[in-house]
């Protein structure tokens, strides 16, 4: 019935995403995965469904596969002439995956993609947070701390960024400073609720 509907009405990104969600809801991981692979290969500029595919792979514990799908999506998007906004969208998820879940050179790759993101979008506080995660995983704690301070400068009212900084500081032996930052984060968080 799905294929008949597509043949009758055509396929667009919204319909493709809806079909993917239905397949995921049926708990048939392989059918859903094959659907997303087919759609993302045939429509490399449908960046929202590409992002949904990658996030779903992470959600089901397939981080390595998510990284491969994210890389392929970015490469196909570039080859098909993705707009700067589309490329940025594809880079964000992949860079975060690499800094959070990658190993060795993948972390470095994620840092480089995040730096590219910041060239396009210099005021992105969460890109600075992603850099901090990558630097911390490479044990470059001074760089990680610097990036979190920059993130807080850009988004001073986001309690999550302060929480990240506080946790980093606690982890590198700056307990008093870290505890104060975590306390500030809690105040910001509580003020929002």
């Amino acid at each position: 019935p799905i294929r008949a509907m597509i043949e009758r009405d055509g396929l667009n990104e919204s319909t493709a995403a809806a079909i993917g969600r239905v397949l995921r809801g049926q708990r048939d991981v392989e059918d859903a995965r094959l659907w997303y692979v087919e759609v993302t290969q045939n429509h490399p500029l449908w960046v929202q469904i590409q992002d949904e595919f990658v996030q779903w792979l992470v959600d089901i514990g397939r981080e390595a596969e998510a990284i491969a799908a994210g890389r392929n999506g970015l490469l196909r998007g570039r080859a098909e002439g993705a707009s700067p906004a589309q490329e940025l969208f594809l880079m964000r998820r992949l860079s975060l995956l690499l800094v959070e879940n990658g190993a060795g050179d993948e972390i470095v790759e994620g840092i480089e993609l995040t730096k590219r993101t910041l060239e396009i979008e210099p005021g992105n506080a969460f890109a600075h947070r992603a850099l901090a995660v990558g630097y911390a995983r490479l044990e470059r704690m001074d760089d990680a701390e610097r990036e979190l301070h920059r993130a807080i400068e850009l988004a001073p009212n986001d309690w999550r960024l302060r929480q990240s900084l506080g946790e980093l500081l606690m982890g590198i032996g700056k307990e008093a400073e870290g505890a104060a930052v975590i306390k500030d984060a809690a105040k910001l968080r509580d003020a929002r609720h």
Side-chain angles (χ1 to χ4, degrees):
I2 292 173
R3 298 280 180 197
M5 181 189 75
I6 293 169
E7 287 178 23
R8 183 185 70 237
D9 301 329
L11 182 67
N12 60 41
E13 189 171 8
S14 295
T15 304
I19 292 168
R21 290 182 202 120
V22 167
L23 291 170
R24 289 180 1 226
Q26 294 174 344
R27 305 279 189 241
D28 190 336
V29 171
E30 189 57 17
D31 274 357
R33 188 189 69 76
L34 290 172
W35 173 255
Y36 281 112
V37 167
E38 178 184 336
V39 170
T40 57
Q41 285 178 350
N42 291 335
H43 304 280
L45 298 181
W46 288 2
V47 297
Q48 306 255 335
I49 198 165
Q50 170 69 37
D51 188 62
E52 185 174 298
F53 176 37
V54 170
Q55 184 58 51
W56 172 65
L57 289 170
V58 171
D59 292 345
I60 63 171
R62 294 185 171 188
E63 289 85 1
E65 197 174 336
I67 289 170
R71 267 195 198 110
N72 290 335
L74 180 58
L75 292 173
R76 280 193 304 272
R78 285 176 174 163
E80 292 293 319
S83 71
Q86 289 170 316
E87 183 175 348
L88 179 63
F89 195 86
L90 293 168
M91 281 192 315
R92 281 181 184 156
R93 177 76 62 201
L94 178 58
S95 63
L96 194 57
L97 271 170
L98 290 167
V99 298
E100 289 182 347
N101 300 301
D105 289 342
E106 290 178 330
I107 299 168
V108 174
E109 179 186 356
I111 288 170
E112 293 307 313
L113 280 173
T114 305
K115 287 178 180 178
R116 175 73 181 116
T117 298
L118 285 166
E119 290 172 10
I120 298 168
E121 202 175 56
N124 185 329
F126 284 91
H128 285 282
R129 183 193 171 278
L131 278 178
V133 169
Y135 287 140
R137 292 199 60 223
L138 293 176
E139 299 183 14
R140 293 174 51 184
M141 298 309 185
D142 289 344
D143 291 329
E145 183 180 349
R146 182 190 71 243
E147 292 301 332
L148 284 171
H149 281 291
R150 180 66 181 133
I152 290 168
E153 287 173 18
L154 292 167
N157 295 318
D158 193 305
W159 69 270
R160 297 166 298 179
L161 298 173
R162 290 181 189 274
Q163 181 74 27
S164 294
L165 176 60
E167 290 169 1
L168 175 78
L169 293 170
M170 297 283 284
I172 61 173
K174 298 180 179 180
E175 288 86 2
E177 187 180 350
V181 173
I182 289 173
K183 186 177 178 180
D184 289 343
K187 286 179 188 175
L188 280 173
R189 182 193 64 227
D190 294 345
R192 297 187 76 175
H193 296 284

